[in-house]
Amino acid sequence: MLRQVADGVLIHESEFIQSNAVVVQGRAGVLLIDPGIQGDEMAALANDLSDSGQPVVAGFSTHPHWDHLLWHAQLGEAPRYGTARCAASLRDLLWDAGWKARVAEGLPPEIAEQIPLDLFGLITGLPAGTARIPWDGPQVRIIEHQAHAPGHAALLIEERGVLVAGDMLSDALIPMLDLNAAEPIEDYLAALRLFEGVAGDVDVLVPGHGSVGGAGQVRGRIDQDRAYVHALRDAAVPDDPRVGPSAKPGWEWVRDVHNGQAQRLARRSERDGTPG
Ligand SMILES: [Zn+2]
């Protein structure tokens, strides 16, 4: 179930689009990042942790998208953190009494029944500018940026050389831009520059979806994401193995994601005359 990727850092890969939950061992229990998707998976993870005497003492959601905001009662009642912007965007969603139906509409129909929403999105926002997750374990640096979703945070577990990238730097999924933002292209490129600044400290890269990468893959994935974003900006056809016939089996739908965001960007630039 849990696979060690570095000293004291383990991952659990969900069936749904290779979603990675990350467990970081601390002194009195674990930090659980983006816990998983289906109820039985999270319950099994909770059992594994409690069997090994490791309660969840803190949670973290990398960004306010449904597949990073789930929780299971058996994981307990530890504080679940996110950035202030992440929490604010959830407040906007959850204030409405009809939020559950709205979230449910966006779930993949084939597994929607297995996705528990009772504890969805109960995120405590850390004050803006918080540098590290407040918990009793290895220092976890928060690298906040505005690519992909409001208040997205990547996490750098400095002593272990692990970068938890959230929904970026995937070998399977192309950069998905936050097309509701004012400057989605520039936001994305700025986030990639932040990653470049820490790349030398990373031995293990864990994307939110896709395969774990080693030290030798960090710069390659940054370059690949940047090239994709440049192609999108320039309305060019991306030369990207994740789009098209060379996509990983089961990931052919990524081409539709690409086409969808290329069309939305084209409409935007028609509307206001500026790219992105
Ligand atoms: Zn996402």
Side-chain angles (χ1 to χ4, degrees):
M1 286 292 286
L2 279 166
R3 176 163 74 89
Q4 178 156 320
V5 295
D7 188 24
V9 183
L10 303 99
I11 65 165
H12 175 263
E13 187 186 298
S14 164
E15 275 173 45
F16 173 72
I17 58 169
Q18 234 183 321
S19 305
N20 294 309
V22 180
V23 170
V24 186
Q25 291 170 335
R27 258 176 286 276
V30 305
L31 165 68
L32 177 57
I33 305 162
D34 293 353
I37 309 294
Q38 301 192 41
D40 57 354
E41 289 173 344
M42 286 188 282
L45 175 59
N47 283 334
D48 282 359
L49 291 172
S50 68
D51 287 351
S52 56
Q54 305 180 90
V56 178
V57 294
F60 192 89
S61 284
T62 54
H63 64 287
H65 284 165
W66 72 266
D67 49 333
H68 301 262
L69 298 168
L70 298 161
W71 197 257
H72 192 284
Q74 279 177 250
L75 293 168
E77 295 181 356
R80 296 159 57 190
Y81 300 116
T83 64
R85 275 201 177 93
C86 171
S89 113
L90 284 162
R91 263 196 308 280
D92 291 347
L93 173 73
L94 298 179
W95 76 270
D96 183 301
W99 72 263
K100 218 180 242 188
R102 281 168 57 202
V103 172
E105 267 173 31
L107 300 178
E110 63 282 9
I111 54 166
E113 307 249 297
Q114 277 79 53
I115 299 172
L117 292 180
D118 286 343
L119 299 171
F120 175 89
L122 303 177
I123 301 300
T124 300
L126 293 168
T130 301
R132 292 187 167 78
I133 294 181
W135 84 299
D136 188 13
Q139 294 203 339
V140 180
R141 198 203 303 179
I142 298 171
I143 303 173
E144 182 176 352
H145 56 76
Q146 300 308 318
H148 182 67
H152 193 309
L155 300 175
L156 180 63
I157 308 158
E158 296 171 301
E159 299 154 48
R160 310 285 188 249
V162 177
L163 178 66
V164 179
D167 278 2
M168 298 179 70
L169 308 184
S170 170
D171 60 323
L173 201 50
I174 49 172
M176 291 167 70
L177 278 60
D178 178 5
L179 294 175
N180 297 315
E183 311 243 25
I185 298 272
E186 195 37 60
D187 288 345
Y188 217 99
L189 296 173
L192 293 175
R193 285 194 293 274
L194 288 177
F195 290 149
E196 209 144 45
V198 299
D201 302 324
V202 178
D203 299 320
V204 179
L205 164 65
V206 184
H209 310 280
S211 309
V212 173
Q217 286 164 287
V218 179
R219 288 180 200 278
R221 289 201 192 179
I222 294 170
D223 291 346
Q224 181 169 256
D225 276 4
R226 189 190 296 105
Y228 175 84
V229 174
H230 283 166
L232 203 57
R233 177 194 64 193
D234 302 339
V237 177
D239 175 20
D240 191 307
R242 297 168 294 186
V243 181
S246 50
K248 285 167 78 169
W251 293 80
E252 294 80 6
W253 52 272
V254 171
R255 173 185 281 277
D256 300 332
V257 172
H258 163 66
N259 289 337
Q261 56 187 2
Q263 279 162 17
R264 279 189 65 188
L265 274 171
R267 276 202 297 275
R268 269 174 82 117
S269 56
E270 242 168 60
R271 195 185 60 222
D272 51 34
T274 55

